[in-house]
Amino acid sequence: MRKPIIAGNWKMYKTVAESVDLVNRLKESLKEVFASKIDVVVAPVYTSLYAVSKVLSGHWIALSAQDVFWEMEGAYTGEVSPIMLKDCGCSYTIIGHSERRQYFGETDETVNRKLRAALQAGLYPIVCVGETLNEREQGETFQVVDRQVRRCLAEVSPADMQKVIIAYEPVWAIGTGKTATPEQANEVHAFIRDLVFRLYGTQVADQLRIQYGGSVKPENTKGLMEQPDIDGALVGGASLKADSFTAIVMGALAAMGKG
Ligand code: 13P
């Protein structure tokens, strides 16, 4: 069975002090949870990573960045390398979030470069894909997701694929309160798994964890997580408060044992 993975993408919210406060609260509210049952990841802004890593030192909650650059070092003003993320305590990084694609010119090609660099440095990449509302309405969802997955995973070996997590985030569901129904989301997750099966074979496809993201809340987590191909959630707004993020983790645990 695939281990569920719940990640909180804090986006551009929270000062260092607020980030430390939130992660301290999470340590407390998740203390009854067994690390062996679920992976929980938090992704603060760059400026909070080091401070949060100190608070999480030796703790099972894992740390992620929200983006990464594809070179290990060099004259790239404003960028942060995968090695630097490892150095300040990250074990994951989000790559290719739709907000980066929309506002910062991220493409499947840059996502692929970042993904390969992250793997080289030993980070677990959480690669985001998903269609816009317009693409869904035009009936292009599968075409768009097929293209994104193929291009983002170009030249990634089967061995490296064991470390990759894919997050399906329909752009129309992000921050809008409109969640994909569990069935709608699962349909795309199953499509992604089948594509990965065709690219990499059964073992990689069976092990691949696919998160759903887009208006995940305590109330809808269990229903989403009960779907056979939904293995986790990438949570935005509801990850900014300890009580709602904890309730989402609990919802995911409650859904375990699904057929
Ligand atoms: P919301 O949960 O706020 O819709 O954001 C989803 C998201 O973009 C997570 O990466």
Side-chain angles (χ1 to χ4, degrees):
M1 204 177 85
R2 297 180 289 270
K3 192 177 180 187
I5 175 164
I6 305 294
N9 173 8
W10 296 0
K11 306 194 178 183
M12 200 176 72
Y13 292 99
K14 298 197 181 291
T15 61
V16 174
E18 289 165 348
S19 303
V20 165
D21 180 62
L22 175 53
V23 88
N24 271 322
R25 283 172 197 270
L26 289 175
K27 279 170 76 173
E28 180 60 27
S29 60
L30 293 173
K31 68 173 190 263
E32 310 285 330
V33 172
F34 290 110
S36 57
K37 289 218 178 298
I38 193 160
D39 286 328
V40 175
V41 182
V42 291
V45 290
Y46 281 137
T47 47
S48 291
L49 285 175
Y50 187 67
V52 169
S53 84
K54 292 288 139 197
V55 180
L56 287 179
S57 174
H59 197 274
W60 60 274
I61 297 175
L63 187 64
S64 175
Q66 299 176 12
D67 187 23
V68 66
F69 191 55
W70 57 72
E71 294 292 346
M72 298 302 165
E73 64 176 11
Y76 302 104
T77 304
E79 292 298 329
V80 180
S81 87
I83 288 177
M84 290 159 185
L85 293 179
K86 281 283 278 192
D87 184 45
C88 79
C90 290
S91 39
Y92 292 79
T93 183
I94 298 170
I95 302 177
H97 191 279
S98 64
E99 287 149 15
R100 298 225 51 93
R101 294 175 188 260
Q102 189 179 349
Y103 305 122
F104 304 102
E106 194 85 80
T107 64
D108 293 331
E109 287 65 38
T110 58
V111 172
N112 177 253
R113 292 180 80 170
K114 291 178 174 189
L115 172 63
R116 286 184 289 128
L119 287 165
Q120 204 185 326
L123 289 166
Y124 293 95
I126 298 176
V127 188
C128 304
V129 297
E131 80 287 3
T132 62
L133 181 59
N134 186 40
E135 289 163 341
R136 176 160 282 260
E137 285 174 351
Q138 301 295 315
E140 293 170 357
T141 300
F142 295 113
Q143 216 178 308
V144 168
V145 170
D146 181 275
R147 187 182 64 226
Q148 289 175 332
V149 171
R150 282 178 193 276
R151 290 187 180 166
C152 294
L153 297 182
E155 290 172 52
V156 175
S157 70
D160 276 344
M161 272 304 289
Q162 322 257 355
K163 301 188 88 181
V164 173
I165 294 135
I166 294 182
Y168 168 58
E169 297 207 313
V171 179
W172 49 272
I174 295 177
T176 57
K178 283 188 209 156
T179 330
T181 64
E183 294 73 21
Q184 260 176 337
N186 194 69
E187 194 185 18
V188 182
H189 282 229
F191 174 82
I192 294 171
R193 197 178 306 286
D194 183 59
L195 174 58
V196 170
F197 162 71
R198 282 179 280 132
L199 295 171
Y200 290 98
T202 315
Q203 203 203 343
V204 171
D206 283 351
Q207 284 180 1
L208 175 72
R209 293 187 293 178
I210 309 176
Q211 295 177 308
Y212 169 78
S215 298
V216 174
K217 305 182 269 275
E219 308 83 71
N220 59 25
T221 305
K222 184 164 174 283
L224 286 161
M225 292 293 298
E226 278 169 349
Q227 292 291 323
D229 286 297
I230 301 184
D231 310 308
L234 183 54
V235 187
S239 71
L240 295 171
K241 291 212 170 83
D243 56 356
S244 46
F245 191 62
T246 300
I248 287 170
V249 173
M250 296 307 172
L253 285 169
M256 284 178 74
K258 65 189 177 187

